[in-house]
Amino acid sequence: MAPAYPDDKTAKGPGVDADQRKEQADKDGKFRRQASSFRDVISADHSKFKPEKGRYVVYVVATCPWAHRALLMRKLKGLEEFIEVVWLHWALGEKGWYFKEEDNSLARDPYYGYTLLREFYLKADPGYDKRFTVPMLWDRKYETIVNNESSEIIRIFNTAFNDQLPPEKADIDVYPEELRAEIDEVNEWVYDKVNNGVYKTGFAATQDAYDENVYPLFESLKRLDKRLSDGREFIMGSKLTEVDIRLYPTIVRFDAAYFTLFRCNIKMIRYGYPYLHKWLLHLYYDFPEIFKGTTFLEQLKKGYASTRLGITPAGPIPLIMERQAAL
């Protein structure tokens, strides 16, 4: 068996090979995210992917906000017996995400002995020539990828296993019928301007591309802050929905990583957006098993720093404010 992949030279960050250049800007200086390739579902009616215990694995990285969504939904719905979590290392290496025995990550995959995420993609599709991304939902029975699109994975987790869950977990629905139209509308602009906006800002390679994205990002943070200023508990009102699940991973990373490392530095969440900051601390401290327990701030800060010459900024201190700092 080959030795574990990484040595100290692997965590150089994006831009060191063709795979990672795809994660950065195009020739016009703008960052454009690649569409996910595996888009199947788990369902009792599916010919292959049925909801069964001990069958599925989600591969994640502490740095990645898209993977964080899957972790939040797994914990919220109580899917530990259905969905195993396997962690890769928090740094992006020359050949993409890899295993290394440090922090959450193992030295290699526990099932195949792989040391690189790309090995799963090539096992599922030997001709695959796109990016190797997390979260990746893997089926151990058919030894293939079910889905690698985070927005779809959280909806799979929301409903696919309900018939086998206790009532208090089955009844949790973050995409309720009566709110779907509004959820979809909010998700659309939050994804474009905030979730992906931090990346379009951080990976911009020209001043024009940066300016085109940084100002809409902060206008959208202001819009979210205003939405929460009416005293609502969650983005959609009194109910936790997938809008919160999709937004939290970006906002919890903002001060710790995006403000410094991605040049999203007009305002910090903690000082510039009091109601959004209150919402963040509410989730983090009042639902600790779901939100705090899946957030690894030191690891994610190191992970983002690995894409910027490996130099980790000293601040902010603290990485997340104490509860009394909120309104």
Side-chain angles (χ1 to χ4, degrees), residues 21-236:
R21 281 195 294 271
K22 293 177 185 176
E23 183 68 55
Q24 290 193 310
D26 292 336
K27 291 182 179 179
D28 62 0
K30 298 179 181 180
F31 167 73
R32 294 178 176 88
R33 186 169 299 279
Q34 174 187 282
S36 300
S37 300
F38 295 88
R39 311 293 286 268
D40 225 317
V41 298
I42 297 171
S43 168
D45 299 328
H46 199 284
S47 61
K48 290 174 61 175
F49 304 126
K50 298 184 181 296
E52 299 173 0
K53 287 184 178 180
R55 176 172 169 177
Y56 299 99
V57 184
V58 63
Y59 287 83
V60 299
V61 173
T63 308
C64 178
W66 318 103
H68 198 170
R69 296 175 172 187
L71 292 171
L72 292 169
M73 279 302 298
R74 174 182 177 267
K75 182 62 70 172
L76 178 66
K77 292 287 292 188
L79 297 177
E80 290 84 351
E81 294 184 359
F82 296 89
I83 309 293
E84 182 181 357
V85 173
V86 173
W87 296 84
L88 292 101
H89 194 255
W90 41 259
L92 187 64
E94 290 181 350
K95 296 183 178 180
W97 299 115
Y98 60 86
F99 290 92
K100 178 182 180 180
E101 194 169 6
E102 181 179 4
D103 295 321
N104 298 349
S105 176
L106 304 172
R108 61 187 70 248
D109 177 67
Y111 295 107
Y112 299 96
Y114 293 160
T115 58
L116 297 169
L117 180 68
R118 67 169 59 202
E119 294 175 272
F120 292 95
Y121 277 83
L122 296 176
K123 182 175 180 62
D125 178 3
Y128 185 80
D129 63 354
K130 299 179 177 65
R131 290 175 49 243
F132 310 99
T133 62
V134 291
M136 182 199 71
L137 183 59
W138 181 263
D139 178 20
R140 291 175 56 204
K141 181 176 181 179
Y142 284 98
E143 297 187 298
T144 193
I145 298 170
V146 179
N147 199 297
N148 70 333
E149 168 52 53
S150 65
S151 64
E152 295 175 3
I153 290 173
I154 65 175
R155 291 190 180 175
I156 292 170
F157 288 3
N158 187 45
T159 60
F161 301 92
N162 279 351
D163 289 346
Q164 301 178 58
L165 294 176
E168 65 273 16
K169 292 297 185 179
D171 289 345
I172 295 172
D173 183 6
V174 300
Y175 191 54
E177 183 72 35
E178 68 274 13
L179 292 176
R180 287 183 182 180
E182 188 179 0
I183 286 173
D184 290 345
E185 185 273 327
V186 174
N187 278 343
E188 183 176 4
W189 64 264
V190 170
Y191 166 76
D192 182 48
K193 305 301 184 186
V194 181
N195 300 139
N196 203 35
V198 294
Y199 284 90
K200 290 190 291 185
T201 300
F203 287 138
T206 67
Q207 187 67 50
D208 286 345
Y210 174 78
D211 291 343
E212 183 178 322
N213 290 288
V214 69
Y215 296 110
L217 164 63
F218 282 90
E219 283 299 316
S220 297
L221 292 175
K222 181 179 178 181
R223 184 177 177 183
L224 286 165
D225 195 62
K226 182 178 180 180
R227 186 182 183 96
L228 288 161
S229 68
D230 64 2
R232 65 180 64 198
E233 184 178 5
F234 304 109
I235 302 297
M236 300 302 296

Side-chain angles (χ1 to χ4, degrees), residues 244-274:
D244 303 283
I245 298 296
R246 290 164 55 116
L247 180 61
Y248 171 85
T250 299
I251 300 304
V252 81
R253 285 163 172 73
F254 199 93
D255 289 0
Y258 302 142
F259 182 86
T260 53
L261 294 161
F262 275 22
R263 300 169 298 188
C264 301
N265 57 1
I266 294 176
K267 292 182 180 180
M268 300 179 84
I269 300 298
R270 63 188 64 186
Y271 301 130
Y273 305 96

